[in-house]
Amino acid sequence: MSEKMLFIDEALASLQESGLYNNIRAIESAQGAWLQIEGKKVLNMCSNNYLGLANHPRLVQAAKAAIDKYGVGPAAVRSIAGTQSIHEELDQEVAKFKHAEAALTLQGGFLANQAVIPSLVGKTDTILSDELNHASIIDGARLSSAKIKVFRHKDLAHLEELLQGPNDGRVLVITDGVFSMDGDIGDLDKIVELCEKYGAMSMVDDAHGEGVLGSHGRGIVDHFKLHGRCDVEIGTFSKAIGTVGGFVAGSAKLITYLKQRARPFLFSSALPAADVGATLEAFRLLQESDELVQKLWENARFFKQGMQDLGFDTGLSQTPITPVMIGEADVARQFSALLFTKGIFAMAIGFPTVPRGKARIRVMISASHSRGDLEFALEKFAAAGKEMELIS
Ligand SMILES: *Cc1c(COP(=O)(O)O)cnc(C)c1O
């Protein structure tokens, strides 16, 4: 390789040395409680498949039916010739599920932030953003060229101080609904109140709240009963909903505007029908019954209590996201590797996804786990934790 690319070797070597190099494992089976990886059957403790919908027979069937009717490719961006009637059906279903006036589905949650934030604020405006907001919010905010002011994590006094200004132009306050690395819940009720007091726009990215919080998993807006008061709600289908895609929900006016303005909507092709069909089925299933949501919470409470009883630090989590706090990234990687040999697939997460010195194993509980699965996991965590002297 030529001289000019040597920086890549150096960067990779430095990641290896500091234990931050991420080995990506390929999964040889469908998503579920158990996976096959490197020919080995392992218990899945790190996917976002909260409700076990990623391989649910009803969703699989709906995807096949959608392919039979609409084919496999959208063949265009939604704003030109890529909107099939099934896309509009999904827009309406999302709005109904969220109790919002309208919704617009996009190709992903990451993209939804790129679509929405630069449509709402520009270089003469201001964004107030929680310091632990997801990378897609950070990138969407940067893309907008607005002035970005970061408030300390869930520090409402700090947010209010920033809202008092002076601030340039329009002000948009953005928070995660559930913070993905710690599992704590954003104070959206208080944030919306502050936004109303100071005339700022409020926006939440509820990627980890959908299918988890609120009645039937309607998310954080439903959890705090803020329907019609939170200006912009971003979401994803890639977590609890079990498929792929993103959306924005809000007022009819907002959605009409985004269809004219949002660049990923205007310049990147629509979701394929199979995915749209499966997603529609997921929303129908959730509205019929909240059994899976209840099971998810029951599992989360059982596992978290078990880990705490063993002496593990599960951080600040208020949701099924269960961080097992380790500290140093290389220790977390070794722990993850040891767990894998014992049949547990639980990935270590280090910088830059979490701050340096705050590496962890992030355990993701799912409704697809049986009580026996969780007992197996606790037994293996106990054994590995003792072997590495993380617990006594
Ligand atoms: C996972 C996540 C996303 C990305 O969603 P995709 O649909 O996978 O692109 C966006 N925002 C937050 C807060 C997330 O946790």
Side-chain angles (χ1 to χ4, degrees):
M1 210 193 291
S2 63
E3 284 285 309
K4 66 189 176 193
M5 302 302 266
L6 277 176
F7 76 97
I8 294 180
D9 300 275
E10 286 163 18
L12 290 174
S14 139
L15 286 171
Q16 291 280 11
E17 271 161 37
S18 55
L20 291 171
Y21 185 85
N22 182 18
N23 278 305
I24 300 172
R25 295 187 194 268
I27 293 161
E28 296 143 9
S29 60
Q31 284 290 342
W34 291 84
L35 303 172
Q36 183 174 308
I37 301 177
E38 292 161 19
K40 190 176 150 83
K41 196 178 160 211
V42 290
L43 184 65
N44 182 8
M45 304 229 74
C46 50
S47 80
N48 298 317
N49 188 20
Y50 287 110
L51 302 175
L53 295 179
N55 190 32
H56 192 287
R58 270 179 61 179
L59 272 68
V60 170
Q61 199 46 50
K64 289 178 179 164
I67 288 178
D68 287 342
K69 182 162 178 193
Y70 295 100
V72 292
V77 299
R78 280 200 60 178
S79 57
I80 296 179
T83 296
Q84 294 170 304
S85 47
I86 197 167
H87 291 102
E88 293 192 329
E89 227 180 296
L90 181 58
D91 292 344
Q92 284 154 19
E93 195 67 23
V94 172
K96 185 175 131 211
F97 179 71
K98 288 280 170 181
H99 295 325
E101 255 178 47
L104 181 65
T105 55
L106 294 148
Q107 305 90 327
F110 196 103
L111 221 63
N113 281 310
Q114 323 301 302
V116 173
I117 302 172
S119 301
L120 296 177
V121 286
K123 62 176 183 293
T124 56
D125 301 316
T126 305
I127 291 170
L128 306 183
S129 179
D130 187 289
E131 69 178 327
L132 293 188
N133 275 347
H134 189 260
S136 59
I137 297 175
I138 296 172
D139 287 11
R142 286 177 181 158
L143 192 61
S144 76
S145 308
K147 184 165 174 60
I148 301 165
K149 298 182 182 175
V150 173
F151 57 92
R152 288 185 294 273
H153 179 51
K154 290 185 61 172
D155 186 336
L156 295 162
H158 190 202
L159 172 60
E160 180 153 23
E161 202 181 294
L162 293 179
L163 277 166
Q164 282 162 350
N167 291 312
D168 294 336
R170 291 192 289 272
V171 178
L172 175 66
V173 178
I174 314 177
T175 183
D176 268 24
V178 174
F179 289 86
S180 56
M181 293 300 141
D182 294 282
D184 53 338
I185 300 175
D187 299 310
L188 191 63
D189 50 344
K190 314 253 175 43
I191 289 175
V192 164
E193 258 171 47
L194 283 172
C195 286
E196 286 170 347
K197 180 169 166 190
Y198 291 95
M201 295 181 278
S202 53
M203 171 170 161
V204 66
D205 179 344
D206 201 23
H208 284 277
E210 260 109 45
V212 177
L213 296 178
S215 151
H216 291 242
R218 287 193 161 82
I220 193 166
V221 166
D222 189 79
H223 173 79
F224 285 119
K225 299 284 170 274
L226 295 168
H227 310 101
R229 286 179 60 199
C230 180
D231 296 307
V232 187
E233 192 179 353
I234 297 288
T236 178
F237 305 142
S238 70
K239 288 169 180 144
I241 306 306
T243 60
V244 160
F247 69 84
V248 49
S251 69
K253 186 161 68 181
L254 171 72
I255 301 306
T256 303
Y257 171 72
L258 289 173
K259 284 181 181 168
Q260 305 301 314
R261 273 299 178 85
R263 292 168 69 85
F265 180 82
L266 300 173
F267 298 105
S268 180
S269 292
L271 283 173
D275 189 53
V276 177
T279 307
L280 260 171
E281 192 63 19
F283 283 113
R284 290 184 184 128
L285 194 144
L286 270 176
Q287 289 169 100
E288 281 164 26
S289 161
D290 71 345
E291 196 186 319
L292 290 173
V293 180
Q294 297 302 333
K295 174 91 185 299
L296 168 68
W297 280 94
E298 213 177 280
N299 280 352
R301 278 189 289 268
F302 175 79
F303 183 78
K304 214 182 276 179
Q305 188 60 53
M307 288 296 279
Q308 287 164 3
D309 292 346
L310 287 171
F312 285 108
D313 173 5
T314 58
L316 305 170
S317 173
Q318 303 167 275
T319 62
I321 297 172
T322 309
V324 181
M325 306 304 288
I326 304 292
E328 292 312 314
D330 53 344
V331 179
R333 294 235 179 277
Q334 284 169 38
F335 191 41
S336 168
L338 181 59
L339 285 164
F340 191 78
T341 66
K342 296 181 186 297
I344 302 286
F345 181 42
M347 288 287 285
I349 295 185
F351 182 80
T353 310
V354 295
R356 288 185 198 278
K358 290 198 171 176
R360 65 201 65 184
I361 304 284
R362 187 184 57 155
V363 173
M364 302 297 277
I365 297 300
S366 168
S368 64
H369 290 127
S370 70
R371 183 53 65 91
D373 293 340
L374 298 176
E375 281 163 354
F376 174 83
L378 287 169
E379 188 188 305
K380 300 302 173 189
F381 264 96
K386 281 174 191 156
E387 232 171 289
M388 284 186 58
E389 296 180 1
L390 298 170
I391 54 169
S392 51

